[in-house]
Amino acid sequence: MEQLETLLKFFDLPEAERDYSVIGSFKPADAVGKCVYCNHCKPCPKGIDIGVVNKYYDLARNGDAMAKEHYLNLELHAADCIRCGHCSRRCPFGVDQMGRMEEIAGYFGR
Ligand code: SF4
Ligand code: SF4
């Protein structure tokens, strides 16, 4: 919440005081191996919403009580993955998404 409030303050600042320099600190190396839910690895032949599946998984593991319910309400789940490997090959952050799908299916049981 604190981070969100900091970010939203940006919109209250006059144009001259808006600082975009933080963008320069985002290096792809910081995200190597971490799913950032960008969905650049799509399309999935099964139609799994890869970014959303990963987001609910991370939220659930970080204690978000609603994340599991949201995950279970999805039409397709990690267990629907047919292990084609397309997502792992396409991920610009080097995420082993195919392996993650197995991990996520095990966590949620679906
Ligand atoms: S696996 Fe890679 S491309 Fe796919 S959503 Fe995650 S970070 Fe993005
Ligand atoms: S490995 Fe699984 S999640 Fe990834 S594209 Fe193939 S079916 Fe979809």
Side-chain angles (χ1 to χ4, degrees):
M1 203 55 210
E2 189 184 326
Q3 290 174 342
L4 184 61
E5 282 166 3
T6 301
L7 289 171
L8 290 176
K9 271 186 206 150
F10 178 89
F11 293 103
D12 297 329
L13 294 171
E15 184 67 29
E17 289 176 34
R18 292 185 181 185
D19 180 7
Y20 298 91
S21 63
V22 66
I23 295 169
S25 69
F26 293 156
K27 298 187 186 78
D30 296 340
V32 169
K34 294 179 195 150
C35 182
V36 296
Y37 328 127
C38 65
N39 272 338
H40 279 104
C41 51
K42 284 171 77 175
C44 162
K46 284 292 288 184
I48 297 170
D49 191 332
I50 296 169
V52 166
V53 162
N54 278 270
K55 185 167 72 178
Y56 288 153
Y57 176 52
D58 288 340
L59 285 171
R61 287 196 311 162
N62 281 293
D64 185 323
M66 298 301 292
K68 182 170 185 180
E69 188 181 333
H70 289 316
Y71 176 83
L72 294 177
N73 283 334
L74 292 173
E75 193 179 332
L76 293 163
H77 303 92
D80 293 303
C81 170
I82 55 171
R83 302 185 61 77
C84 70
H86 178 77
C87 52
S88 294
R89 286 192 298 274
R90 274 187 50 90
C91 176
F93 300 104
V95 175
D96 170 21
Q97 187 53 247
M98 191 170 69
R100 232 173 112 85
M101 282 292 161
E102 196 172 352
E103 183 183 316
I104 295 169
Y107 180 85
F108 286 119
R110 193 182 291 184

